[in-house]
Amino acid sequence: MPIRSVRQAVPQFAGRRNSLQACCWRAQDLRYHMASATTQTTDHFRGEDFATLLDETLGRDSGFDGSVVRGRVVRLTDDYAIVDVGLKSEGRVSLREFAPPGVKPEVQPGDVIELYVERYEDRDGSIVLSREKARREEAWTSLEKAFEANQRVNGTIYGRVKGGFTVDLGGAMAFLPGSQVDIRPVRDVGPLMGVPQPFQILKMDRARGNIVVSRRAVLEETRAEQRSELIQGLTEGMILDGVVKNITDYGAFVDLGGVDGLLHVTDIAWKRINHPSEALQIGQPVRVQVIRFNPDTQRISLGMKQLEADPWENVALKYPPGARFTGRVTNITDYGAFVELEPGVEGLVHVSEMSWTKKNVHPGKIVATSQEVDVMVLDVDSSKRRISLGLKQVQRNPWEQFAEEHKVGSTVEGEIRNITEFGLFIGLSADIDGMVHMSDLSWDEAGEEAMKNYEKGQVVKAKVLDVDVEKERISLGIKQLQEDPAADALASIQKGTIVTCIVTAVQTNGIEVKVDDVLSGFIRRAELARDKAEQRPERFAVGERVDAKVVSVDRTSRKVALTIKGREVEEDKQAINEYGSADSGASLGDILGAAIRRRNTED
């Protein structure tokens, strides 16, 4: 080709430089023809000079790889969209890049779209295009402008990674650190996932493809604006709408629109709530009332139950003492169980009021949570919001029932459940026991000796001696099943009677004696003789018979107190009265001698 022809053709293509899609293939053809012309015009100038001239006119970078172009959809196949981008061949784009999996792509023939050129020509001569990368390039350009202008961008949290979350910023992927999610730590990020919301770009590096965003910065900025506006008009008693932002063990934080308030667990509802999650969920809209507001610390206390009627009004009329009701066990503690009579009204069944017979037992072994129980109202204190309930009062008192069915003196039979140092406990029913004191085991043997004749599990009979309903005690006796062998002796012995007894033991403080072989007696040392010199226990021997005067009789313990000294003094008085006195000239020896002779004569 002549040089003049080339110079005339170059400006024509150069004028179309701004439309590279239309001139690319023509430029390549032109290079081919110019290269041929170079071989024909070597006499005028060398080929490299011609190529330099062409590069100066068209520019060196005439490739399309990595650029974003506009194209028109020509037709659709099963998997691809065929697009004309103004180049010498059409390109194709996978339909999967136009919609998420499972969603029909919203693209039709004739649509004009922007695409990213991945390769200008593959081995088949086709142009490889990408819709997703075009969106990403477009997004990066827009995000860089927002970053430079310090503007917020919209995005969607869609995934969780180590240390934070991934955010889709209109095609560009960004990293959201866990510390930048919210002002306060968020336990459950589920409600924030998939929701479009604003973010602040903290860092961008296009070369590495890194973007770091913050949701917390946006919240803090918005919060500061709304907080000052809201706090200026905030007063106690105001009713506001909010959204549950976070839930803790002691309550829930409610977002009032720029400022958070604490809704304590005790102010959620009138009824007992063990954990706020039983009534609230994160993201739930709620209506609350401002209970307290501290302008200095800007702390806001909220309440929900204050918007409802107080169920404790007129509770004294609804639940009078002595009335029976059915309730549900809501909570069990070491000291009792709480029973809900109606929503918001609970009463306490103290552990002492749970069972007639089960003492020192944990309430959890008597009732269970959510169990329906019948209770009786014992006391109502409306001012303190307290109701005392009784569980055992709705059941019959087993002690009263026993007293009605077994009168004193009746005979019962039961198994020995326990043996203690002071007696036996005999089971009278499934719940109550009766006690046989060791003194009521035998008429003849001592209590300790008599207890050796019994063992646990043995079935015995006993007589009912006493029933004390108030103290919940039943006294039994085994020896009372037989006649008292000392009954006749006790009936014949009175105070002041002179009896003959046998010495059974000699002690330092006196002597033990037996009266009529059935009654036990004791003569103290001072009562052994009238003369102090004779008050010596050792002058008596076991088995010796002595006469003594009865001082007192304990018919319950069957013991007799005796005195020899008293008997001697009484005999002296009688002898003096009968045989004269020392004042009439008779000596005491004469009087006693006469008395003795008279007695011998009578015998």
Side-chain angles (χ1 to χ4, degrees):
M1 178 182 290
I3 297 300
R4 182 175 298 177
S5 299
V6 174
R7 291 185 179 275
Q8 291 176 353
V10 168
Q12 294 179 5
F13 290 103
R16 301 174 62 185
R17 181 66 171 136
N18 295 333
S19 180
L20 293 177
Q21 295 90 334
C23 72
C24 180
W25 65 274
R26 293 183 180 87
Q28 290 183 349
D29 289 344
L30 183 60
R31 287 178 182 274
Y32 172 77
H33 291 299
M34 287 182 177
S36 299
T38 301
T39 60
Q40 299 175 5
T41 58
T42 54
D43 296 336
H44 299 282
F45 55 84
R46 293 182 300 177
E48 55 269 18
D49 296 334
F50 182 79
T52 301
L53 179 62
L54 183 62
D55 289 338
E56 290 177 355
T57 305
L58 294 178
R60 287 184 177 275
D61 189 8
S62 60
F64 290 91
D65 293 355
S67 62
V68 177
V69 297
R70 293 176 62 87
R72 185 182 300 275
V73 179
V74 178
R75 64 184 181 277
L76 301 177
T77 65
D78 293 338
D79 299 323
Y80 296 96
I82 308 302
V83 183
D84 180 12
V85 293
L87 302 179
K88 68 178 181 179
S89 62
E90 296 173 341
R92 63 180 183 177
V93 185
S94 176
L95 292 177
R96 293 178 297 180
E97 297 191 32
F98 290 91
V103 180
K104 184 178 180 180
E106 296 181 359
V107 60
Q108 299 295 333
D111 292 347
V112 178
I113 57 178
E114 291 186 349
L115 299 168
Y116 179 85
V117 181
E118 294 192 35
R119 284 196 307 277
Y120 178 69
E121 283 186 346
D122 59 6
R123 62 184 180 181
D124 297 330
S126 301
I127 302 174
V128 181
L129 305 173
S130 173
R131 171 63 175 165
E132 181 178 347
K133 291 184 178 179
R135 291 178 61 248
R136 187 179 305 168
E137 290 294 321
E138 182 181 357
W140 268 94
T141 302
S142 176
L143 292 174
E144 285 178 340
K145 294 179 180 179
F147 179 61
E148 292 175 358
N150 196 25
Q151 295 177 347
R152 300 175 184 175
V153 294
N154 291 325
T156 304
I157 303 175
Y158 72 92
R160 185 188 295 268
V161 294
K162 183 178 180 180
F165 306 88
T166 53
V167 180
D168 182 5
L169 300 178
M173 299 300 105
F175 174 65
L176 173 63
S179 60
Q180 298 297 323
V181 176
D182 206 324
I183 297 174
R184 291 188 178 91
V186 179
R187 294 184 180 180
D188 185 12
V189 191
L192 302 177
M193 303 283 285
V195 179
Q197 50 195 311
F199 295 89
Q200 186 74 38
I201 301 177
L202 301 180
K203 184 189 300 183
M204 286 190 69
D205 188 343
R206 188 160 187 169
R208 297 184 178 181
N210 293 337
I211 304 177
V212 180
V213 296
S214 171
R215 180 175 175 268
R216 176 176 179 174
V218 177
L219 295 177
E220 288 178 345
E221 183 179 349
T222 306
R223 181 186 180 91
E225 297 173 358
Q226 296 178 346
R227 185 183 185 93
S228 59
E229 182 179 340
L230 178 63
I231 288 181
Q232 288 178 359
L234 196 64
T235 58
E236 294 185 0
M238 182 182 293
I239 298 176
L240 302 172
D241 292 324
V243 178
V244 178
K245 187 175 182 181
N246 195 16
I247 295 177
T248 65
D249 293 336
Y250 53 86
F253 287 95
V254 179
D255 186 0
L256 302 175
V259 60
D260 293 348
L262 175 61
L263 176 61
H264 198 268
V265 63
T266 57
D267 292 315
I268 295 177
W270 290 108
K271 66 178 182 180
R272 179 183 295 272
I273 296 179
N274 295 321
H275 195 273
S277 59
E278 298 177 6
L280 301 173
Q281 295 179 352
I282 294 179
Q284 176 182 344
V286 292
R287 173 160 287 189
V288 294
Q289 184 178 25
V290 179
I291 301 175
R292 288 178 299 276
F293 172 59
N294 190 333
D296 297 332
T297 60
Q298 295 187 352
R299 292 185 177 179
I300 305 172
S301 297
L302 305 175
M304 286 180 60
K305 72 179 185 181
Q306 287 76 8
L307 300 177
E308 302 176 356
D310 188 355
W312 281 85
E313 293 181 1
N314 302 322
V315 72
L317 299 177
K318 290 191 207 176
Y319 304 100
R324 296 187 178 188
F325 297 93
T326 299
R328 181 177 62 88
V329 178
T330 58
N331 192 25
I332 297 176
T333 64
D334 294 336
Y335 53 85
F338 287 92
V339 177
E340 183 182 57
L341 301 176
E342 65 175 80
V345 178
E346 289 183 344
L348 173 64
V349 181
H350 194 266
V351 63
S352 61
E353 305 295 343
M354 303 194 80
S355 174
W356 290 108
T357 56
K358 296 178 181 179
K359 309 296 183 181
N360 300 323
V361 177
H362 193 274
K365 296 184 178 181
I366 301 177
V367 295
T369 305
S370 300
Q371 178 183 349
E372 297 285 338
V373 294
D374 294 330
V375 293
M376 178 181 289
V377 178
L378 304 181
D379 183 56
V380 178
D381 190 341
S382 301
S383 60
K384 295 182 179 180
R385 294 177 176 266
R386 293 178 181 176
I387 299 179
S388 298
L389 303 175
L391 189 63
K392 68 181 183 181
Q393 284 77 6
V394 297
Q395 304 170 359
R396 192 174 182 186
N397 188 337
W399 313 102
E400 293 180 354
Q401 183 178 358
F402 183 86
E404 294 176 1
E405 297 176 355
H406 302 85
K407 301 298 181 181
V408 175
S410 61
T411 302
V412 294
E413 184 178 17
E415 178 183 331
I416 298 177
R417 292 180 176 174
N418 194 18
I419 299 177
T420 66
E421 59 182 7
F422 52 83
L424 312 177
F425 283 92
I426 300 175
L428 303 177
S429 67
D431 298 324
I432 61 176
D433 296 340
M435 191 193 76
V436 181
H437 194 269
M438 62 180 181
S439 61
D440 292 317
L441 291 175
S442 174
W443 293 111
D444 302 323
E445 295 180 305
E448 292 81 357
E449 294 296 327
M451 288 181 63
K452 295 179 181 179
N453 300 325
Y454 300 92
E455 59 184 10
K456 192 175 181 179
Q458 180 180 351
V459 178
V460 296
K461 291 183 178 181
K463 181 174 288 188
V464 179
L465 303 181
D466 182 56
V467 179
D468 192 333
V469 176
E470 183 177 352
K471 294 182 179 180
E472 299 180 351
R473 292 178 183 175
I474 299 176
S475 298
L476 304 176
I478 293 180
K479 72 179 183 181
Q480 286 78 3
L481 294 174
Q482 303 174 352
E483 291 292 335
D484 186 359
D488 295 337
L490 288 173
S492 61
I493 294 178
Q494 301 294 331
K495 181 179 179 180
T497 305
I498 303 298
V499 296
T500 300
C501 47
I502 300 175
V503 178
T504 57
V506 178
Q507 301 178 2
T508 58
N509 59 339
I511 60 174
E512 293 181 5
V513 296
K514 205 78 170 177
V515 179
D516 293 339
D517 295 331
V518 292
L519 295 178
S520 298
F522 187 76
I523 304 176
R524 295 185 298 112
R525 184 186 186 100
E527 301 296 330
L528 291 176
R530 181 179 57 183
D531 297 335
K532 192 171 183 179
E534 298 296 327
Q535 295 176 356
R536 293 178 291 105
E538 58 273 14
R539 69 187 185 90
F540 295 91
V542 175
E544 181 181 352
R545 299 172 68 89
V546 295
D547 293 335
K549 180 180 178 181
V550 177
V551 178
S552 63
V553 180
D554 188 347
R555 302 185 184 279
T556 303
S557 61
R558 306 193 316 166
K559 291 184 177 180
V560 181
L562 303 168
T563 175
I564 297 176
K565 174 182 176 180
R567 183 204 57 141
E568 292 177 346
V569 172
E570 185 176 351
E571 288 179 351
D572 289 347
K573 289 182 179 180
Q574 291 179 355
I576 292 173
N577 291 333
E578 292 183 16
Y579 303 105
S581 63
D583 296 338
S584 60
S587 65
L588 182 58
D590 296 336
I591 296 172
L592 292 177
I596 292 172
R597 286 192 299 271
R598 181 177 179 180
R599 183 175 180 179
N600 292 334
T601 303
E602 290 176 355
D603 293 339

